[in-house]
Amino acid sequence: PQSIYYIPSAQEAGMAYPNRVDKAVVCGFASNWLLNRNNFTPVTVKDTYMRAMRYMAPALLSRTKANLEDEISRVTRDNISSLFSLSKEPELEDSGIDFKVTLTGEKIIFMGKEKLDDRILRYTITLQRIPPIETNPYGLVIAGVKQEEVEP
């Protein structure tokens, strides 16, 4: 495979090793995926979900694709919008086999201009390593997503 070079941060020099994924990259990948997945309007929902599905592992995609398509129809029909923002720094657990990133934030659901729901949610995202390819140069896919409500 072709080498990929990156600058880990502006404050310090770093080395990029083949098949080694920096923790900041893992947390950034999971955060960006979740923020993309949870921020949509009726106009953007289809494109938003298509981008999210691109980085889902085949097993997760096969389990959730029908639900995502139903949700796209419901969001468009009922004029639903979703806003999500992170309220804590990501927490990372590396088992050596996969990564688990815990992300906490506030999710607000609107129907038109009316606020329907406002909750603090915790997501645990399981990521698996894959060989980097042109369409997914990160070498990571989303293998699982667990959502739970957090009491304020």
Side-chain angles (χ1 to χ4, degrees):
Q2 185 177 4
S3 300
I4 298 172
Y5 299 96
Y6 69 97
I7 300 170
S9 70
Q11 289 86 17
E12 60 185 73
M15 294 288 285
Y17 298 97
N19 300 322
R20 188 183 302 171
V21 182
D22 186 72
K23 291 179 180 181
V25 171
V26 175
C27 289
F29 181 87
S31 298
N32 287 337
W33 184 85
L34 185 64
L35 287 166
N36 177 68
R37 162 72 178 81
N38 281 346
N39 286 290
F40 57 81
T41 67
V43 174
T44 63
V45 69
K46 188 172 185 176
D47 186 47
T48 297
Y49 283 11
M50 290 300 166
R51 279 195 315 271
M53 286 189 277
R54 171 191 281 165
Y55 297 109
M56 293 169 83
L60 177 61
L61 186 56
S62 68
R63 286 194 315 263
T64 60
K65 190 166 189 220
N67 290 342
L68 290 173
E69 289 170 354
D70 289 346
E71 196 170 327
I72 289 170
S73 298
R74 188 177 58 81
V75 164
T76 306
R77 181 188 66 239
D78 296 341
N79 199 27
I80 303 286
S81 296
S82 173
L83 298 174
F84 179 76
S85 60
L86 296 173
S87 59
K88 287 184 171 180
E89 289 294 315
E91 298 171 23
L92 176 68
E93 180 185 320
D94 182 357
S95 70
I97 297 167
D98 59 19
F99 297 103
K100 290 197 186 313
V101 178
T102 303
L103 300 161
T104 304
E106 181 180 18
K107 185 171 184 178
I108 304 172
I109 303 292
F110 291 91
M111 179 182 281
K113 294 179 181 179
E114 182 183 343
K115 185 191 284 190
L116 293 181
D117 196 18
D118 186 350
R119 295 189 223 178
I120 303 296
L121 299 174
R122 180 182 307 119
Y123 292 88
T124 303
I125 300 177
T126 304
L127 299 103
Q128 292 176 334
R129 296 173 177 93
I130 61 165
I133 56 175
E134 189 173 328
T135 55
N136 183 350
Y138 307 101
L140 297 167
V141 290
I142 306 296
V145 180
K146 180 180 143 195
Q147 173 187 307
E148 57 192 341
E149 190 167 352
V150 176
E151 295 301 320

